[in-house]
């Protein structure tokens, strides 16, 4: 029996008990049999992980000298240049001499959202549980030994990098770390960690569990951040921990109830659920959005500052959450983008004489730009082989005008998935500001709108090119840009209609959509028609058609959503043929799509959407995962971090359900000979869809309509009549390739194959 079937059977047998339900989901656990080798790191840790979407813990070290690194999404060194960005608050060291040379066994449990470990020597056996309270700013570490041992504790704050640290004992141990009063700092950040102990040496006796609790607060949580951390640590009792555990289990139990899939493949199901666990540990409603490495920061100077990288890294981690019905995890996405609008308007006006907003490649929270060039010519020469540090006013745009629009894709995914009016009103000004910019920036030439000097790839000086880079400027009609601009204007028109605003502007937007240049095609080296990265390259040179790839997928498919088999079957056939030739272009034997550096969460679901066979995709995906993955199920790539959490869930979801082309398609790209089912996947139109495929036949489709919109669905039983049943048992028989079904708010409808009485 595969693990998902065991999970469902477990729920049926064990009833509603939250504790018992968590053990069923814990069947998808990750197992560690050796201490982590990549902790601390500036990139991806390979250790057991837990988190609550704000605070993350990374369990490093060896059994006798454990180190829990405590990261927090809102602890930033708010510099406009690297090495600013996300910083490490500190951690807790736990030392037990009797465990020197102990065996190592740990589990990362997605159901209970905890790290469970057991370390053994001839002198003692220690059991450990560590979790971050889902509803509070507390890390809980529980220790239990079969022999009397001494536990030495060190609560510490990371030091250096212009920070100020302090420590003390005020009934409990506490440490603090602050970034303040330095010349470049845009805003101060303070953090305090407090431990529910006033001594650094404790005795652990058999049969008695030791409960260590670290309370963590920043000035972004509360003005009384230090007092709050100390006070909360001092209030810890067994009953407090018991209540936190109850709330913790309830939160995670509700999270896992939001959707399910069963594909009869325990390998991919484990990655599916572990990936969602890791992202739920990284992102939470009402908290700062996660950067490139989420809250799993184990040292300062994280790669790329751990910032919000706007040309895909920031957006991609969220993509699977929309279709997986984990909408609350996406709630923090928009605020950094809205906070940067004032600066974005200045960039547009001062640098390009355009209205609207123009964003650099990297930003942070609270209106912070993280991506300025080094502030002196000497630093610039050292890092980028040129003294010219005033490129684009000193900001890293890297030749790209599209960074602000990239995030519109996520906003539209949430809007189309929920039709939440309050959300639409919140983000609509951002979409309009993007539209303002592109109304001004587009050029109408020979009856069509064209895009000049918005580059398909990043263009910048570096040591590899000797600081010479301007000869690489000049992209004309980048496929990335054409796709995202088309997405923008279609989206702003849809939202304008929904909110009944700006109707007078729609004629201009329609004109742009009608006259925007077509996606460039050409003849590939093997003589077939293929996609080009751009219509013409630098110095107005022709470019070879190189086919669909990660960057062009961003414009056309994810997050663009402007191409597909329903939208334009002929164009989609060209893209599908391009994907079929990826195997000939892979640079490494197991790297189909060339995603070792970036793009596993883009290329694999992109291939699904254009219709490449699912079995082949999964075969290639498994090889790519095994090429570089850590025991914590974090798929590793060179150019980014938590975006890989979306790779497996999004790929599977798109195989089971698609809706991005204004039509719901059930099992659109799944091998019909393989049984599969899904429950409450979210479709555009604010629909929750459930269906089962068994013995080659779709058994039925259930749709819950949240907003009472018309449900347009591709006939699941092609060429046959469909029986529609509503809640009141009223039935109707439907015919056709596409079924358009009026629904009411909250209504549940059921579709099945119609058989004549």
């Amino acid at each position: 029996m595969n693990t998902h079937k065991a999970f469902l059977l477990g729920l049926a047998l064990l009833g509603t008990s939250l504790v018992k339900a968590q053990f069923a989901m814990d069947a998808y656990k990750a197992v560690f049999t050796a201490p982590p080798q990549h902790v601390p790191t500036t990139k991806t840790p390979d250790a057991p992980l837990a988190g609550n979407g704000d605070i993350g813990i990374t369990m490093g070290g060896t059994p006798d000298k454990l180190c829990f690194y405590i990261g927090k999404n809102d602890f930033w060194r708010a510099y406009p240049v690297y090495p600013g960005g996300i910083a490490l608050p500190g951690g807790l060291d736990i030392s037990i001499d009797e465990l020197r040379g102990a065996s190592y066994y740990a589990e990362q449990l997605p159901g209970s959202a905890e790290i469970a470990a057991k370390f053994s020597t001839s002198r003692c056996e220690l059991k450990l549980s560590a979790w971050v309270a889902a509803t509070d700013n507390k890390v809980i570490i529980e220790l239990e030994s079969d022999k009397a041992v001494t536990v030495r504790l060190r609560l510490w704050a990371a030091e250096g990098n212009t920070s100020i640290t302090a420590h003390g004992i005020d009934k409990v141990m506490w440490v603090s770390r602050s970034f303040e009063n330095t010349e470049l700092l845009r805003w101060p950040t303070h953090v305090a960690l407090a431990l529910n102990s006033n001594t650094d040496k404790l005795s652990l006796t058999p049969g008695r569990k030791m409960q260590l609790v670290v309370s963590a607060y920043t000035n972004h949580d509360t003005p009384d951040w230090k007092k709050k951390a100390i006070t909360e640590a001092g209030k810890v009792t067994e009953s407090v921990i018991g209540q936190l555990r109850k709330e913790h289990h309830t939160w995670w139990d509700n999270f896992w109830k939001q959707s399910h899939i069963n594909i009869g493949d325990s390998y991919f199901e484990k990655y599916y659920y572990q990936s969602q666990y890791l992202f739920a540990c990284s992102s939470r409603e009402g908290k700062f959005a996660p950067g490139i490495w989420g809250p799993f920061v184990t040292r300062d100077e994280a790669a790329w500052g751990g910032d919000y990288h706007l040309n895909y890294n920031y957006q991609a981690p969220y993509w699977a959450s929309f279709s997986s019905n984990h909408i609350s995890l996406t709630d923090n996405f928009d605020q950094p983008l809205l906070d940067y609008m004032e600066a974005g308007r200045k960039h547009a006006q001062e640098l390009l004489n355009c209205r609207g907003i123009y964003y650099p490649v990297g930003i942070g929270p609270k209106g912070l730009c993280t991506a300025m060039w080094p502030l002196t010519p000497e630093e610039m020469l050292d890092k980028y082989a040129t003294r010219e540090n005033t490129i684009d006013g000193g900001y890293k745009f890297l030749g790209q005008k599209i960074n602000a629009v990239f995030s519109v894709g996520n906003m539209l995914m949430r809007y189309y998935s929920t039709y939440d009016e309050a959300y639409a009103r919140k983000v609509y000004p951002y979409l309009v500001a993007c539209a303002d910019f592109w109304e001004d920036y587009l050029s109408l030439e020979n009856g069509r709108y064209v895009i000049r000097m918005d580059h398909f790839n990043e263009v910048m000086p570096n040591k590899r090119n000797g600081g010479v880079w301007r000869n690489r400027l000049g992209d004309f009609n980048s496929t990335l840009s054409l796709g995202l601009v088309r997405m923008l204007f279609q989206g702003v028109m849809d939202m304008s209609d929904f909110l009944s605003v700006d109707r007078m502007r729609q004629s201009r937007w329609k004109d742009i959509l009608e006259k925007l240049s077509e996606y460039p095609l050409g003849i590939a080296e093997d003589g077939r028609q293929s996609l080009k990265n751009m219509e013409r390259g630098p110095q107005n040179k022709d470019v070879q058609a190189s086919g669909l790839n990660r960057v062009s997928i961003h414009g056309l498919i994810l997050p663009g959503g402007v191409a597909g088999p329903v939208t334009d079957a002929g164009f989609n056939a060209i893209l599908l043929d391009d994907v079929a030739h990826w195997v000939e272009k892979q640079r490494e034997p197991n790297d189909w799509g060339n995603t070792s550096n970036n793009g596993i969460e883009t290329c694999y679901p992109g291939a699904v959407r254009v219709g490449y066979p699912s079995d082949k995709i999964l075969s290639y995906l498994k090889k790519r995962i095994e090429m570089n993955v850590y025991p914590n199920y974090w798929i590793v790539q060179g150019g980014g971090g938590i975006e890989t959490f979306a790779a497996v869930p999004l790929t599977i979801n798109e195989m089971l359900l698609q809706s991005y082309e204004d039509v719901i398609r059930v099992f659109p790209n799944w091998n019909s000979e393989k049984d599969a089912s899904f429950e409450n996947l979210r479709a555009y139109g604010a629909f929750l869809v459930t269906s089962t495929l068994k013995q080659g036949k779709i058994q039925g489709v259930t749709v819950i309509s949240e907003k009472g919109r018309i449900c347009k669905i591709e006939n699941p039983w092609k060429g046959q009549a469909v029986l529609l049943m509503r809640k009141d048992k009223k039935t109707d028989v439907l015919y056709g390739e596409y079924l358009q079904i009026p629904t009411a708010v909250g209504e549940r409808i059921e579709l099945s194959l119609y058989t004549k009485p």
Side-chain angles (χ1 to χ4, degrees):
M1 181 180 295
N2 70 45
T3 51
H4 187 81
K5 289 180 179 177
F7 167 64
L8 295 178
L9 179 60
L11 287 184
L13 294 175
L14 299 174
T16 59
S17 168
L18 299 183
V19 174
K20 292 180 180 179
Q22 88 192 29
F23 291 133
M25 181 56 79
D26 282 344
Y28 298 108
K29 65 187 177 185
V31 174
F32 306 76
T33 56
Q37 302 299 305
H38 300 282
V39 174
T41 179
T42 60
K43 289 189 172 183
T44 304
D46 61 340
L49 306 171
N52 68 359
D54 174 33
I55 298 169
I57 58 173
T58 304
M59 189 175 81
T62 55
D64 60 320
K65 295 181 179 179
L66 293 173
C67 178
F68 284 90
Y69 297 85
I70 301 174
K72 205 164 186 300
N73 279 340
D74 60 359
F75 189 66
W76 284 66
R77 183 186 188 225
Y79 274 34
V81 293
Y82 302 144
I86 196 77
L88 173 65
L92 177 65
D93 293 346
I94 302 174
S95 299
I96 301 174
D97 289 342
E98 287 81 356
L99 291 177
R100 188 175 297 115
S103 62
Y104 190 100
Y105 181 85
E107 297 176 342
Q108 179 178 287
L109 300 167
S112 51
E114 69 173 306
I115 299 166
K118 184 170 71 173
F119 309 121
S120 301
T121 67
S122 59
R123 289 163 289 182
C124 74
E125 179 179 276
L126 181 82
K127 293 181 180 179
L128 176 149
S129 171
W131 44 285
V132 184
T135 58
D136 210 325
N137 287 42
K138 291 183 176 65
V139 175
I140 297 92
I141 302 169
E142 300 173 285
L143 307 174
E144 187 174 2
S145 175
D146 66 344
K147 303 283 175 42
V149 296
T150 298
V151 180
R152 297 192 307 278
L153 305 173
R154 185 174 80 94
L155 184 69
W156 53 275
E159 297 182 344
N161 207 15
T162 73
S163 68
I164 300 169
T165 60
H167 60 89
I169 298 177
D170 187 357
K171 295 184 179 179
V172 298
M173 283 192 289
W174 62 269
V175 296
S176 67
R177 189 183 192 199
S178 298
F179 292 103
E180 59 179 347
N181 302 326
T182 52
E183 183 179 355
L184 295 179
L185 200 69
R186 296 302 190 251
W187 34 265
T189 295
H190 311 278
V191 68
L193 307 177
L195 176 67
N196 65 328
S197 174
N198 60 7
T199 178
D200 60 2
K201 187 179 294 186
L202 298 172
S203 296
L204 184 57
T205 57
R208 184 173 178 271
K209 187 177 291 185
M210 179 184 293
Q211 296 176 313
L212 305 173
V213 178
V214 178
S215 180
Y217 284 90
T218 69
N219 58 310
H220 308 299
D221 293 315
T222 172
D224 297 324
W225 50 278
K226 181 179 173 182
K227 180 180 178 182
K228 180 78 168 176
I230 294 171
T231 301
E232 290 292 308
K235 289 181 179 179
V236 170
T237 63
E238 284 192 21
S239 62
V240 168
I241 295 173
Q243 182 62 30
L244 286 176
R245 181 181 284 107
K246 181 179 178 181
E247 293 172 1
H248 178 78
H249 289 162
T250 298
W251 191 95
W252 281 97
D253 185 71
N254 289 334
F255 174 79
W256 292 120
K257 286 179 179 178
Q258 288 169 348
S259 66
H260 295 292
I261 61 101
N262 177 15
I263 59 172
D265 186 325
S266 59
Y267 179 89
F268 281 111
E269 286 173 3
K270 185 172 286 191
Y271 277 96
Y272 184 95
Y273 288 114
Q274 280 285 356
S275 294
Q276 295 195 342
Y277 163 76
L278 290 170
F279 188 58
C281 288
S282 304
S283 181
R284 195 61 49 89
E285 181 178 4
K287 302 296 184 178
F288 276 37
I292 293 175
W293 313 107
F296 304 115
V297 175
T298 55
R299 54 167 289 183
D300 283 356
E301 300 185 8
W304 300 284
D307 68 2
Y308 304 152
H309 237 57
L310 296 184
N311 56 0
Y312 113 86
N313 302 84
Y314 179 56
Q315 297 85 356
Y318 294 89
W319 288 345
S321 295
F322 300 105
S323 55
S324 295
N325 195 28
H326 298 314
I327 295 296
S328 66
L329 298 187
T330 72
D331 191 70
N332 55 24
F333 173 80
D334 309 291
Q335 197 58 52
L337 301 158
L338 301 178
D339 288 344
Y340 202 80
M341 286 183 69
E342 181 179 352
R345 292 186 194 280
K346 290 181 180 178
H347 297 327
Q349 181 61 47
E350 294 174 1
L351 299 177
L352 296 173
N353 194 30
C354 290
R355 297 172 300 137
I357 54 177
Y358 174 39
Y359 281 20
V361 70
I363 67 170
K366 300 167 70 74
L368 175 69
C369 174
T370 61
M372 293 190 71
W373 295 108
L375 300 184
T376 68
E378 291 74 22
E379 289 177 287
M380 187 74 183
L381 181 64
D382 178 60
K383 292 182 179 180
Y384 299 102
T386 177
R387 297 178 62 85
E388 188 180 3
N389 68 328
T390 58
I391 302 165
D392 292 327
Y395 293 87
K396 291 181 181 176
F397 292 92
L398 307 189
Q400 297 181 321
K401 310 298 188 298
I402 205 69
N403 287 322
V405 179
F406 238 114
S407 294
V408 170
N410 287 45
M411 295 174 179
L412 291 175
M413 285 182 188
R414 177 164 176 172
Y415 164 65
Y416 292 133
S417 295
T418 64
Y419 280 90
D420 181 335
E421 183 177 346
Y423 177 75
R425 292 193 184 279
K426 174 184 175 181
V427 300
Y428 180 72
Y430 184 93
L431 269 69
V432 170
C434 288
D436 288 341
F437 176 87
W438 284 95
E439 284 183 29
D440 288 1
Y441 191 77
L442 288 168
S443 299
L444 184 62
E445 300 178 10
N446 300 318
R448 64 171 183 156
Y449 287 102
V450 301
I451 300 175
R452 295 181 178 275
M453 296 292 287
D454 186 17
H455 293 83
F456 187 81
N457 295 306
E458 296 176 348
V459 182
M460 59 183 288
N462 56 50
K463 290 185 176 180
R464 291 190 304 275
N465 58 33
V468 178
W469 58 282
R470 282 188 170 81
N471 61 337
R472 296 172 55 214
L473 294 173
D475 287 6
F476 177 78
N477 276 343
S478 157
T479 305
L480 169 69
S481 311
L482 290 173
L484 291 180
V485 168
R486 190 176 300 278
M487 172 199 73
L488 165 67
F489 282 104
Q490 185 59 62
V492 75
M493 283 183 59
D494 290 344
M495 208 175 284
S496 167
D497 283 334
F498 180 69
L499 297 174
S500 298
V501 295
D502 291 332
R503 293 281 175 79
M504 297 294 291
R505 298 191 63 174
Q506 289 200 12
S507 60
R508 170 75 164 134
W509 296 339
K510 288 178 181 176
D511 184 64
I512 290 172
L513 283 172
E514 290 171 358
K515 297 176 182 176
L516 190 63
S517 296
E518 297 295 327
Y519 310 122
L521 299 173
I523 303 301
E525 291 179 351
D526 57 7
R528 61 187 176 83
Q529 193 173 34
S530 177
L531 187 71
K532 297 171 69 173
N533 292 347
M534 64 211 68
E535 188 172 329
R536 295 193 299 275
Q539 287 82 52
N540 206 33
K541 292 181 180 178
D542 192 23
V543 295
Q544 180 75 46
S546 57
L548 184 69
N549 59 34
R550 173 179 64 88
V551 178
S552 50
I553 288 173
H554 288 152
L556 301 176
I557 300 169
L558 278 169
V562 295
V566 176
T567 302
D568 186 335
F571 182 59
N572 187 78
I574 295 172
L575 304 183
L576 176 58
D577 192 42
D578 282 342
V579 172
H581 284 79
W582 281 358
V583 70
E584 301 166 7
K585 296 183 177 182
Q586 60 192 64
R587 291 186 288 267
E588 297 182 49
N590 293 324
D591 193 12
W592 188 72
N594 295 315
T595 62
S596 61
N597 197 54
N598 280 309
I600 187 173
E601 70 299 306
T602 303
C603 290
Y604 287 87
V608 175
R609 281 193 172 185
V610 300
Y612 196 71
S614 60
D615 284 352
K616 289 186 177 181
I617 293 172
L618 293 177
S619 174
Y620 290 134
L621 179 56
K622 185 174 183 178
K623 290 179 181 179
R624 168 58 185 87
I625 290 171
E626 297 300 325
M627 196 175 93
N628 201 355
V629 67
Y630 285 158
N632 53 23
Y633 284 79
W634 191 327
I635 303 167
V636 182
Q637 59 186 26
I642 67 171
E643 64 261 33
T644 65
F645 298 166
V648 174
L650 186 59
T651 298
I652 299 299
N653 287 354
E654 292 293 328
M655 289 177 175
L656 303 179
L657 182 75
Q658 292 178 17
S659 60
Y660 71 103
E661 294 182 282
D662 295 323
V663 57
I664 295 172
R665 304 168 64 217
V666 179
F667 298 106
N669 190 355
W670 185 256
N671 184 343
S672 62
E673 295 181 1
K674 293 183 176 181
D675 291 355
S677 64
F678 60 88
E679 180 181 357
N680 285 343
L681 292 186
R682 182 172 286 272
Y684 284 6
F687 299 109
L688 297 178
V689 184
T690 298
S691 188
T692 298
L693 177 70
K694 189 174 183 179
Q695 296 180 350
K697 297 180 180 179
I698 296 176
Q699 303 298 297
V701 180
T702 299
V703 179
I704 297 174
S705 174
E706 290 185 336
K707 295 300 171 68
R709 299 179 62 82
I710 292 176
C711 176
K712 183 178 180 182
I713 183 169
E714 185 177 81
N715 189 336
W717 300 275
K718 188 174 181 180
Q720 300 185 69
V722 177
L723 180 67
L724 166 65
M725 179 178 290
R726 298 185 184 272
K727 184 179 180 180
D728 57 8
K729 303 300 182 183
K730 290 184 178 179
T731 62
D732 197 0
V733 179
L734 308 176
Y735 301 89
E737 182 180 2
Y738 297 105
L739 313 176
Q740 300 209 48
I741 307 169
T743 67
V745 174
E747 184 179 18
R748 175 191 178 101
I749 61 174
E750 296 182 3
L751 303 176
S752 59
L753 178 63
Y754 175 70
T755 55
K756 292 183 179 180

